[in-house]
Amino acid sequence: MDKYEHQKIEAKWQKIWDETNINKVDLKKAANPFYNLMMFPYPSAEGLHVGNVFAFVGSDVQGRYHRMNGFDVFEPIGFDAFGIHSENFALKKGTHPARMVPKNIDNFRENQLKKVGNMYDWTHEVDTTSPEYYRWTQWIFLQLYKAGYAYREKAPVNWCPSCKTVLAAEQVINGECERCSSEVTKRDMAQWFFKTTAFAQKMLDNLDWIDWSEKTKVAQRNWIGRSQGAQVVFTIDGHDESFEIFTTRPDTLFGVTYMVFSPEHPMLARIVAPEQRAAVEAYQAQVAKMTEIERQAEGKEKTGVFTGAYAINPVNGEKIPVWVSDYVLMGYGTGAIMAVPAHDQRDFEFATKFGLDIRTVISPDGQVHPLEEAYAGDGRMINSGQFDGTPYKEGIRKVTEWLAEKGLAKFQVNFRLRDWCVSRQRYWGPPIPIIYCEKCGAVPVPESDLPVRLPELENYQPDGSGDSPLKRSPEFYHTTCPECGGPAVRETDVSDNFLCSSWYFYRYPSTDFADKAFDPELTKKWLPVDLYVGGNEHAVLHLLYSRFLCMAFKEIGLVDFEEPFKRFVAHGLIVRDGAKMSKSKGNVVNPDDYIREYGADAFRVYLMFMGAYLEGGDFRDEGVRAMRAFLDRVWTNLTPGDDLQKSEPKDEETLYWLHRTIMAVGNDIQRFSYNTALARLMELLNHITKNNVRNKVVFECYLKMLSPFAPFLCEEMWRRLGHQDSVALQSWPVHVEEHTIRQTVEYVVQINGKVRAKMNLGTGLPEEEIESLVLDDERVRNWIEGKKIVKKIFVPDKLVNLVIK
RNA sequence: GCGAGAGUGGCGGAAUCGGUAGACGCACUGGCCUUAGGAGCCAGCGGCCUCUGGUCGUAGGGGUUCGAGUCCCCUCUCUCGCACCA
């Protein structure tokens, strides 16, 4: 028998699979469609990351398993190649992204993805930077615009001084840029937004039924951040001005001792008292200079300034001072709050610092106690006029209703979610297809003029001016108005890269259509996606944006479903030797090296064996070697030969191990428990080698079950057993129930819950028979001698527990 | 602070229902084979003890149960997400 030469075998089958298009699905005719999606990679110059391989292989195992179970599996892949990441890298290397990206894609496809051995249908590849693709990204922008889901507004937006562009709220992580970790500042700019907030409630509601990893749903619920309360109207004393505040605790309205406006609140300038104007303006200037991190630093001491103005409390007509402080955010609620220091910790700190009144209005026992901190616990209302004695929860409703009757309040739901800021002042993205005309205003580019091509600029550096580099190209910038034909200019911002990735899975089945983004018939047949496997780091980015877009599509009438992914499974993260992988630590796993040295199969098997797929794992070099040794043992033991038995094995043990394995491996794969599935296969191999099993049926079943994990090796061995067709196209083996049960089982005999004996007894014997056999056993007799049996527990085919006294 | 998840040998990790804790693998130890081993094969491998047996043991403490890694309560530690969100 020749040696297991992985390089030869893998190259051979990769070529044959490629040439025969073994993974191509007839999308129109498929009877039993299963859309198996994985998160398409960003084609970096460094090459495929081991985390990508881990994610993709785990997804591919599902694809292969489903195909062997009768599904027509569509498993496409593509490249998310627009975006700041590519652009920054190109800038650093001094090349042009338009020249760099195709090279990277080529490397990903030919040298990496194909070698890994996933069942990709390469006839439906997608590249977001190709005009054939981004033409439709722009078209989608226009559909949203026409339907009122896209709007342009001047607003304080997140600005990354290093990337020199604005960012969406989701792309600011703890005050830092998601891409480069620079501190983000606020900047007032006119930007394009998508109305994600229009679907806040629906996105929240649907989380109750979509089949997604719980942790992903939790992250989304958190991010959407629904809170229920009341909007209450206050008036300014001596001014003809009123303003609204949002509160979740209208029951504490009698405890309001001051009001706070956010420094950005537009009403401030009109109400501030003359003698306080200088102080307020100085404070506003000071806050404006701070970064988000400085402003939100934990434990930061409260700052603020009195405005000199007074508000009137609608519940009792009291005059209360109005302050300005940066602990009130313009972007949430109404940008102004009522402060109840007795029952809100932030207000408590502020009031303590500035010597403002603290008035208890909720008490567990009806008494006022001195407070060390705000009291947020249960209790009844006190010092609250006619509401005294009302439990606070009831008070929330009653006070709101009472004010509502007078037109001073209403029940209100607030969301933390903001609209999606999609403008980017960068070069490497799809230009936003809008033209500005002095006469006609913002005019959408006619669909027939799409794509608005991204010009090949040699000088594409962002300049931090707040304008995209595209503005520096007169040929691009100046155009004519599609409506009146007069002189006009183009929008020069490009759209957020996350827009490209919010719809790529609609495009995969429809890559053959040049005249539409996605074909309605194919979309109806293949979408929503059956299974999406990916990293949870996209819980509030890609996965949220994709849901928004799908809901907008549904409203517009482009699709008839409102959730794009029927099932989403978040895989775990992998670390190396217990530590996070990072370039600076120099402990990054380069998949190419391992694939070359041990083979893609050994690498795949190891990644899936390393730990629980949904939890992540710890990558160790010895582990890869061990998996190579495992595959070597498969290779040397499951060999063809004249000595092979052709029919089902006769001995009970072999039948038991085989059928038990078939049953377990299928179950394990279905619940993504790949490490235990492989452990089962190792056990079966141990049985085969120990007992020198030489049985063709056993070998064939074995190769089928191992093939999702080690497709190359299993294909080669399958053919050597005399087959003309691929192992990947075989049916998954079916276990026979009776073979999974042995004639005897090992009973555990417990005395008072402690294991005292183990006995091999007949399977399925009645309780009485087992009992007499157990009581006959010498060990058992020794334990119960002179004692009384007070209780007997019998678990069929498993255990007997005797309780003695 | 709030929310979610986790804590099991020297290590990675098993243990659908409450029913043999430590599957499978790594590392290690001994043996076989070998000119050689970073190969292969066989055996051992949680701690302790009076060692064919006993006893303790799944972060710590309590509880429910015939029986708890698993269920309940309290405490501690770690990871992730959100965080001055009114």
Side-chain angles (χ1 to χ4, degrees):
Chain A
M1 177 85 186
D2 52 342
K3 273 177 67 181
Y4 166 34
E5 293 178 88
H6 64 265
Q7 287 183 332
K8 233 190 231 172
I9 291 169
E10 291 177 5
K12 170 180 154 192
W13 289 110
Q14 187 194 315
K15 186 158 174 272
I16 294 172
W17 292 339
D18 234 10
E19 285 167 359
T20 56
N21 261 328
I22 186 176
N23 299 318
K24 186 170 167 56
V25 191
D26 189 329
L27 293 175
K28 284 210 179 82
K29 288 190 192 141
N32 206 1
F34 186 87
Y35 192 164
N36 191 47
L37 185 69
M38 48 194 90
M39 289 182 172
F40 68 161
Y42 145 69
S44 71
E46 295 93 343
L48 201 58
H49 186 266
V50 63
N52 292 133
V53 183
F54 176 71
F56 294 168
V57 171
S59 170
D60 184 63
V61 169
Q62 292 294 322
R64 289 178 175 275
Y65 178 75
H66 277 85
R67 180 161 65 181
M68 293 178 84
N69 278 283
F71 290 94
D72 298 296
V73 177
F74 179 45
E75 188 174 301
I77 193 74
F79 302 97
D80 186 19
F82 261 142
I84 296 176
H85 201 136
S86 296
E87 191 181 323
N88 284 353
F89 192 85
L91 279 168
K92 204 170 117 196
K93 293 283 162 188
T95 52
H96 197 280
R99 288 187 289 279
M100 183 188 78
V101 162
K103 269 192 222 156
N104 292 351
I105 289 182
D106 219 51
N107 180 45
F108 262 62
R109 186 199 307 107
E110 301 304 324
N111 300 328
Q112 302 197 289
L113 288 169
K114 282 188 179 175
K115 285 192 177 157
V116 168
N118 288 347
M119 53 172 284
Y120 294 130
D121 181 348
W122 286 105
T123 62
H124 288 272
E125 181 185 325
V126 147
D127 163 11
T128 56
T129 64
S130 72
E132 298 77 47
Y133 184 86
Y134 73 72
R135 163 184 188 176
W136 299 112
T137 307
Q138 293 171 334
W139 178 83
I140 286 164
F141 186 101
L142 293 179
Q143 305 316 303
L144 293 184
Y145 179 68
K146 287 170 188 168
Y149 291 117
Y151 65 94
R152 191 164 186 261
E153 190 178 77
K154 189 167 179 180
V157 286
N158 300 297
W159 171 264
C160 173
S162 163
C163 294
K164 298 184 169 68
T165 179
V166 302
L167 301 171
E170 290 79 11
Q171 290 151 31
V172 181
I173 314 292
N174 293 327
E176 293 178 353
C177 170
E178 177 235 357
R179 281 259 81 96
C180 69
S181 300
S182 308
E183 287 192 17
V184 168
T185 57
K186 288 278 182 196
R187 208 160 154 166
D188 240 7
M189 292 168 69
Q191 300 292 305
W192 283 96
F193 290 88
F194 284 164
K195 269 193 202 165
T196 41
T197 54
F199 298 109
Q201 189 65 53
K202 193 185 279 289
M203 286 201 269
L204 199 60
D205 291 345
N206 287 4
L207 288 176
D208 292 342
W209 59 264
I210 54 176
D211 182 9
W212 283 30
S213 290
E214 199 52 39
K215 58 179 169 180
T216 313
K217 295 209 237 180
V218 167
Q220 291 214 348
R221 278 196 195 101
N222 247 318
W223 187 259
I224 294 167
R226 182 184 199 271
S227 62
Q228 202 162 348
Q231 196 135 308
V232 183
V233 181
F234 281 70
T235 49
I236 298 288
D237 187 43
H239 285 75
D240 192 18
E241 295 268 10
S242 66
F243 65 99
E244 293 182 320
I245 57 97
F246 173 73
T247 177
T248 53
R249 295 293 302 274
D251 56 311
T252 62
L253 263 160
F254 289 89
V256 175
T257 54
Y258 64 102
M259 310 292 293
V260 190
F261 276 56
S262 160
E264 293 90 4
H265 202 289
M267 196 189 282
L268 269 177
R270 302 200 297 273
I271 62 162
V272 66
E275 66 276 13
Q276 288 298 101
R277 185 169 295 275
V280 168
E281 282 172 1
Y283 183 73
Q284 287 175 309
Q286 178 200 324
V287 170
K289 272 191 289 187
M290 295 167 78
T291 65
E292 286 295 286
I293 290 185
E294 287 166 348
R295 203 173 148 168
Q296 296 183 10
E298 196 180 351
K300 179 189 162 237
E301 191 143 326
K302 297 273 180 295
T303 58
V305 172
F306 178 47
T307 63
Y310 290 85
I312 305 293
N313 190 338
V315 296
N316 54 15
E318 244 179 74
K319 254 176 80 171
I320 40 186
V322 176
W323 285 65
V324 56
S325 173
D326 66 354
Y327 83 90
V328 176
L329 310 173
M330 197 58 222
Y332 185 78
T334 64
I337 62 155
M338 65 180 214
V340 187
H343 305 292
D344 180 289
Q345 187 56 26
R346 295 153 300 173
D347 299 344
F348 184 88
E349 286 164 21
F350 192 87
T352 307
K353 177 163 179 191
F354 293 103
L356 296 156
D357 286 349
I358 297 173
R359 190 186 302 164
T360 298
V361 291
I362 302 291
S363 171
D365 57 5
Q367 305 297 311
V368 175
H369 304 276
L371 294 173
E372 292 292 314
E373 55 180 13
Y375 177 74
D378 202 358
R380 289 169 184 270
M381 295 172 71
I382 59 170
N383 291 327
S384 299
Q386 71 268 40
F387 294 100
D388 281 356
T390 312
Y392 86 97
K393 275 185 188 157
E394 212 180 310
I396 290 175
R397 182 175 53 83
K398 284 193 167 165
V399 173
T400 308
E401 280 169 356
W402 175 61
L403 284 175
E405 273 171 35
K406 299 195 266 183
L408 294 172
K410 61 177 184 188
F411 290 98
Q412 172 81 24
V413 169
N414 249 344
F415 294 96
R416 194 185 164 286
L417 182 75
R418 320 283 169 82
D419 280 341
W420 175 13
C421 174
V422 293
S423 305
R424 294 293 177 273
Q425 291 74 42
R426 294 291 298 237
Y427 169 68
W428 193 237
I432 291 174
I434 296 287
I435 288 169
Y436 301 106
C437 167
E438 265 185 36
K439 266 194 273 174
C440 313
V443 180
V445 172
E447 288 175 17
S448 56
D449 289 354
L450 296 180
V452 177
R453 282 183 180 269
L454 181 68
E456 268 220 29
L457 294 188
E458 277 319 305
N459 175 11
Y460 60 90
Q461 264 103 341
D463 55 21
S465 62
D467 286 323
S468 153
L470 290 177
K471 198 165 183 175
R472 303 196 297 256
S473 164
E475 308 83 60
F476 179 83
Y477 184 48
H478 294 287
T479 185
T480 51
C481 173
E483 272 176 21
C484 70
V489 295
R490 286 189 190 279
E491 168 67 62
T492 54
D493 286 352
V494 299
S495 59
D496 183 3
N497 173 231
F498 278 101
L499 179 58
C500 308
S501 56
S502 296
W503 78 280
Y504 73 104
F505 44 91
Y506 299 90
R507 185 62 186 166
Y508 278 142
S510 297
T511 46
D512 294 338
F513 296 88
D515 60 337
K516 45 192 158 190
F518 42 90
D519 178 62
E521 235 172 89
L522 283 179
T523 304
K524 207 175 175 86
K525 179 157 184 166
W526 288 92
L527 282 111
V529 167
D530 293 283
L531 175 64
Y532 198 14
V533 174
N536 207 38
E537 68 273 14
H538 282 114
V540 296
L541 290 158
H542 163 63
L543 289 168
L544 194 80
Y545 297 143
S546 298
R547 294 184 66 211
F548 155 74
L549 205 65
C550 187
M551 289 175 186
F553 280 3
K554 168 98 191 291
E555 289 300 312
I556 294 167
L558 293 172
V559 301
D560 59 4
F561 49 90
E562 58 188 32
E563 287 293 340
F565 315 120
K566 275 186 224 166
R567 184 166 182 220
F568 173 73
V569 175
H571 64 246
L573 290 177
I574 54 177
V575 296
R576 187 177 194 181
D577 301 318
K580 259 187 192 161
M581 277 186 239
S582 73
K583 263 185 264 173
S584 54
K585 278 192 215 140
N587 64 346
V588 176
V589 172
N590 180 356
D592 298 5
D593 301 340
Y594 291 88
I595 289 173
R596 195 180 320 109
E597 187 165 357
Y598 302 102
D601 283 332
F603 192 56
R604 288 172 67 106
V605 168
Y606 178 60
L607 288 174
M608 296 302 103
F609 183 71
M610 193 168 56
Y613 186 68
L614 303 182
E615 308 293 321
D618 191 359
F619 191 98
R620 289 169 192 234
D621 285 13
E622 317 87 77
V624 191
R625 259 179 257 135
M627 289 310 111
R628 169 57 197 234
F630 163 58
L631 295 185
D632 273 324
R633 289 177 64 215
V634 173
W635 177 261
T636 48
N637 284 285
L638 274 56
T639 51
D642 297 334
D643 60 330
L644 280 193
Q645 294 167 322
K646 299 267 180 348
S647 55
E648 274 252 321
K650 303 279 185 298
D651 72 294
E652 197 207 342
E653 274 302 288
T654 301
L655 275 173
Y656 166 76
W657 279 102
L658 176 65
H659 287 272
R660 194 190 83 123
T661 307
I662 293 171
M663 184 174 71
V665 170
N667 282 340
D668 286 349
I669 290 178
Q670 281 171 45
R671 59 192 183 101
F672 289 83
S673 186
Y674 300 144
N675 54 341
T676 56
L678 285 161
R680 305 283 192 181
L681 286 166
M682 289 171 192
E683 283 182 297
L684 178 54
L685 183 66
N686 288 343
H687 174 82
I688 290 171
T689 55
K690 269 209 179 78
N691 299 281
N692 195 26
V693 174
R694 298 284 300 156
N695 184 293
K696 197 162 181 244
V697 177
V698 174
F699 289 5
E700 286 175 350
C701 283
Y702 198 94
L703 293 174
K704 286 182 199 170
M705 289 190 284
L706 184 59
S707 70
F709 301 97
F712 294 106
L713 174 77
C714 293
E715 185 76 301
E716 176 68 24
M717 294 181 71
W718 175 259
R719 306 287 180 135
R720 286 181 183 216
L721 285 175
H723 297 282
Q724 298 302 308
D725 50 355
S726 170
V727 67
L729 304 177
Q730 304 307 308
S731 300
W732 190 259
V734 180
H735 75 274
V736 177
E737 197 67 39
E738 61 166 296
H739 293 323
T740 63
I741 301 159
R742 284 195 262 206
Q743 277 167 19
T744 62
V745 282
E746 190 177 56
Y747 264 86
V748 172
V749 182
Q750 297 182 336
I751 313 282
N752 284 348
K754 300 215 176 208
V755 182
R756 295 304 180 191
K758 289 172 187 179
M759 298 169 72
N760 274 312
L761 302 173
T763 306
L765 288 180
E767 185 170 349
E768 305 80 55
E769 211 164 315
I770 293 292
E771 194 187 311
S772 72
L773 286 165
V774 164
L775 291 173
D776 254 4
D777 190 89
E778 201 192 326
R779 292 165 296 183
V780 177
R781 283 208 310 267
N782 286 339
W783 279 98
I784 60 176
E785 206 176 45
K787 305 276 173 64
K788 208 172 115 195
I789 297 175
V790 293
K791 197 170 182 180
K792 296 170 199 157
I793 312 289
F794 177 75
V795 183
D797 295 339
K798 229 173 202 169
L799 153 148
V800 174
N801 187 12
L802 303 172
V803 185
I804 59 169
K805 244 190 191 158

